[in-house]
Amino acid sequence: MKIALAPVALACQQPYRTIWYVFMTESGSPLACTRRETRKRERQERILQVAHRYFLDQGYAGTTMSAIAQTLGGSKGTLWKHFPSKDVLFAAVIDRVAQAYRARLSQLLDEQADIQTVLENVCTSLVSKVTSPDVIAVHRVVISEGGRFPELARIFSELAPRNTRAVLAAFLENAMKRGLLRKADPLDAARALMSLCMAGTHHGLLMGQIIDFDQDDIDRDAAFAVDLFLRAYAPDSRPATSI
């Protein structure tokens, strides 16, 4: 049975999208959230920070709402008022991190710049992100516990890689329309590029085969991914194939 993700990630946010509520005073000046809502956001941000560490350190199964409430110094009822279940809280934690990265990614996807330079910057950023300790820890939690908790894998997929892939696909689709890349399914192209980025250092870290790495490794993975991708999607007359 699927559990619906409740719209409680942040006071002025809902999972999958951000909503900005604007209030007008009598003089016509906007107020981007009332003081009460601001305090609510601050409380929720604190909850998300604590929950983030719990999920990374204890895993999904090992994290309890009671333990989080105790660390926060409040009651479990107060915590449940903001996040009515553990899966909703996990979704909010993932969405918070994913939204921050997608904002960064959007800044890098400059359609006016040289496409190879843009992709190199994007891939360097992506490899840096997926090789960070927190992301590796989240991936391990999802892989190890996703079988017992199907909602865990669904939440992660929908809020993290799928949405990131959609942002990248929109950029690639425009590049295809401008003749900079051969025409193909942009979502498949984004999936291919992201997979290439994760095939080196990220995979080694995830499997415990690598302990130490540096910026040179990140740059090498990014250059490798961009080189193969641009060879595969070079603009020519070959028809795109669907696999």
Side-chain angles (χ1 to χ4, degrees), residues 15-65:
Y16 307 106
R17 59 199 177 110
T18 301
I19 299 177
W20 296 102
Y21 296 101
V22 177
F23 301 90
M24 302 298 292
T25 63
E26 290 182 357
S27 62
S29 60
L31 296 174
C33 274
T34 65
R35 291 177 185 172
R36 181 178 180 182
E37 288 166 338
T38 298
R39 288 195 297 269
K40 184 178 179 182
R41 288 186 64 182
E42 290 171 350
R43 286 196 298 270
Q44 290 177 336
E45 177 63 19
R46 174 60 180 154
I47 292 171
L48 293 175
Q49 290 173 353
V50 171
H52 189 164
R53 292 316 319 169
Y54 262 95
F55 284 125
L56 294 186
D57 296 341
Q58 306 297 327
Y60 186 79
T63 296
T64 66
M65 300 289 273

Side-chain angles (χ1 to χ4, degrees), residues 176-192:
M176 291 172 185
K177 290 178 180 178
R178 291 183 291 152
L180 301 177
L181 299 172
R182 70 174 176 84
K183 290 187 177 180
D185 186 319
L187 281 172
D188 284 346
R191 176 168 56 87

Side-chain angles (χ1 to χ4, degrees), residues 9-217:
L10 286 175
C12 292
Q13 292 184 350
Q14 295 182 358
Y16 307 106
R17 59 199 177 110
T18 301
I19 299 177
W20 296 102
Y21 296 101
V22 177
F23 301 90
M24 302 298 292
T25 63
E26 290 182 357
S27 62
S29 60
L31 296 174
C33 274
T34 65
R35 291 177 185 172
R36 181 178 180 182
E37 288 166 338
T38 298
R39 288 195 297 269
K40 184 178 179 182
R41 288 186 64 182
E42 290 171 350
R43 286 196 298 270
Q44 290 177 336
E45 177 63 19
R46 174 60 180 154
I47 292 171
L48 293 175
Q49 290 173 353
V50 171
H52 189 164
R53 292 316 319 169
Y54 262 95
F55 284 125
L56 294 186
D57 296 341
Q58 306 297 327
Y60 186 79
T63 296
T64 66
M65 300 289 273
S66 297
I68 293 173
Q70 184 176 8
T71 300
L72 290 165
S75 68
K76 190 163 70 170
T78 300
L79 174 60
W80 280 68
K81 184 170 119 178
H82 291 285
F83 301 96
S85 67
K86 187 166 72 170
D87 63 324
V88 169
L89 179 56
F90 180 78
V93 168
I94 296 299
D95 194 42
R96 172 174 170 266
V97 175
Q99 282 196 41
Y101 181 71
R102 287 197 300 274
R104 166 63 178 158
L105 183 62
S106 296
Q107 293 177 341
L108 295 174
L109 294 172
D110 183 0
E111 294 186 359
Q112 305 304 316
D114 173 69
I115 189 169
Q116 180 170 343
T117 301
V118 171
L119 292 181
E120 286 173 350
N121 291 336
V122 166
C123 289
T124 299
S125 172
L126 181 58
V127 176
S128 296
K129 184 65 177 177
V130 299
T131 55
S132 67
D134 280 4
V135 172
I136 291 296
V138 169
H139 277 226
R140 285 175 174 165
V141 168
V142 173
I143 291 171
S144 64
E145 302 188 49
R148 288 181 294 162
F149 304 100
E151 290 301 304
L152 185 69
R154 181 181 70 83
I155 290 168
F156 177 76
S157 176
E158 291 180 357
L159 293 178
R162 184 177 299 178
N163 283 343
T164 300
R165 189 161 59 243
V167 172
L168 183 55
F171 171 82
L172 296 176
E173 183 175 23
N174 286 333
M176 291 172 185
K177 290 178 180 178
R178 291 183 291 152
L180 301 177
L181 299 172
R182 70 174 176 84
K183 290 187 177 180
D185 186 319
L187 281 172
D188 284 346
R191 176 168 56 87
L193 184 58
M194 290 174 65
S195 296
L196 287 169
C197 287
M198 299 170 68
T201 305
H202 168 79
H203 185 266
L205 289 168
L206 198 60
M207 301 301 293
Q209 298 172 328
I210 296 174
I211 298 176
D212 297 320
F213 68 100
D214 56 26
Q215 187 62 43
D216 287 342
D217 296 307

